[in-house]
Amino acid sequence: EAGVTQFPSHSVIEKGQTVTLRCDPISGHDNLYWYRRVMGKEIKFLLHFVKESKQDESGMPNNRFLAERTGGTYSTLKVQPAELEDSGVYFCASSRLAYEQYFGPGTRLTVT
Amino acid sequence: SQQGEEDPQALSIQEGENATMNCSYKTSINNLQWYRQNSGRGLVHLILIRSNEREKHSGRLRVTLDTSKKSSSLLITASRAADTASYFCATDVRTDKLIFGTGTRLQVFP
């Protein structure tokens, strides 16, 4: 069974540019989560999809971040415009059961 | 508010020694989980302990949970160089989202 995949693995962009991160969950997993780890701090929850619906987006930092999951399969997280403090590692996870989350390798975002 | 805090922040040991990491949290939980992250890779789920459990074993891993103290410990016995990684505890309260601690960086020297 293929695991959670994320693309790209690393992205370097300039402040003010736009970046779109993609996550492909494990097939059959209705739950999809985004987390991020900024500046070596703790990993923080961003949002949770159940199929294509946003179940909880309480962790989204501001309106520069937009997450979508059209069709309930893969998800994208767009940052527009990117700021320096957005640099970090963005993790995606999926699950069939709520607490058994399987994480992808993460996308390292560097904003210069 | 930060839910989990790991202690120590960094730990260096020799192969064969045991490594103990601690995690404290602030609110009541449903489950507590431990994850490992190897450099540049994703989070790997290690073990889950439910709030009504006190101890759990998985191979060389032993996890304890003390809900009265709101703390958990992860013990890795007979450590190996391949155990070098960052270790995170994560709790879930009533929702699906996991709340992570800051992690412990473990370095195991051959």
Side-chain angles (χ1 to χ4, degrees):
Chain A
E1 179 183 79
V4 176
T5 58
Q6 293 186 244
F7 182 84
S9 58
H10 192 185
S11 179
V12 181
I13 61 172
E14 293 183 353
K15 175 182 173 181
Q17 290 185 322
T18 297
V19 63
T20 300
L21 314 180
R22 173 173 170 143
C23 168
D24 286 79
I26 294 172
S27 178
H29 282 191
D30 289 339
N31 296 286
L32 187 148
Y33 312 81
W34 284 97
Y35 294 84
R36 74 172 181 176
R37 189 181 187 201
V38 174
M39 294 285 288
K41 295 183 178 178
E42 69 269 24
I43 300 165
K44 284 194 172 180
F45 168 84
L46 295 178
L47 87 160
H48 168 209
F49 283 100
V50 177
K51 297 185 179 179
E52 67 274 10
S53 300
K54 292 176 185 175
Q55 182 77 11
D56 181 353
E57 51 183 331
S58 60
M60 294 289 266
N62 51 59
N63 59 10
R64 295 186 294 104
F65 289 75
L66 175 65
E68 294 181 323
R69 193 183 181 195
T70 307
T73 54
Y74 71 90
S75 174
T76 58
L77 179 65
K78 180 190 287 188
V79 185
Q80 178 182 30
E83 298 289 343
L84 298 178
E85 63 264 25
D86 300 332
S87 296
V89 182
Y90 289 76
F91 293 101
C92 174
S94 73
S95 72
R96 182 173 288 121
L97 298 175
Y99 51 81
E100 291 184 4
Q101 298 183 23
Y102 296 85
F103 281 77
T107 293
R108 181 173 294 277
L109 175 63
T110 303
V111 183
T112 62
Chain B
S1 62
Q2 185 172 314
Q3 176 75 329
E5 294 186 12
E6 271 98 337
D7 165 52
Q9 290 187 335
L11 180 61
S12 295
I13 59 175
Q14 294 291 131
E15 258 190 336
E17 294 181 338
N18 295 341
T20 299
M21 289 159 269
N22 303 296
C23 167
S24 61
Y25 56 92
K26 296 180 180 177
T27 63
S28 297
I29 61 170
N30 286 334
N31 306 289
L32 186 143
Q33 305 181 57
W34 284 90
Y35 285 83
R36 182 186 72 219
Q37 184 189 17
N38 291 82
S39 179
R41 299 198 174 187
L43 293 163
V44 174
H45 183 263
L46 296 177
I47 196 165
L48 178 150
I49 187 165
R50 301 182 193 282
S51 59
N52 61 355
E53 296 177 310
R54 293 295 167 259
E55 187 171 314
K56 204 161 184 180
H57 296 255
S58 177
R60 294 184 295 112
L61 305 180
R62 172 178 169 253
V63 170
T64 61
L65 179 65
D66 187 335
T67 52
S68 66
K69 295 181 179 178
K70 293 187 170 58
S71 67
S72 172
S73 68
L74 171 67
L75 168 67
I76 304 174
T77 60
S79 63
R80 306 166 182 168
D83 295 329
T84 294
S86 291
Y87 292 81
F88 299 89
C89 69
T91 55
D92 63 85
V93 182
R94 283 183 296 277
T95 63
D96 298 345
K97 65 185 180 186
L98 296 178
I99 301 174
F100 286 85
T102 52
T104 293
R105 291 190 315 278
L106 174 65
Q107 175 77 51
V108 182
F109 292 100

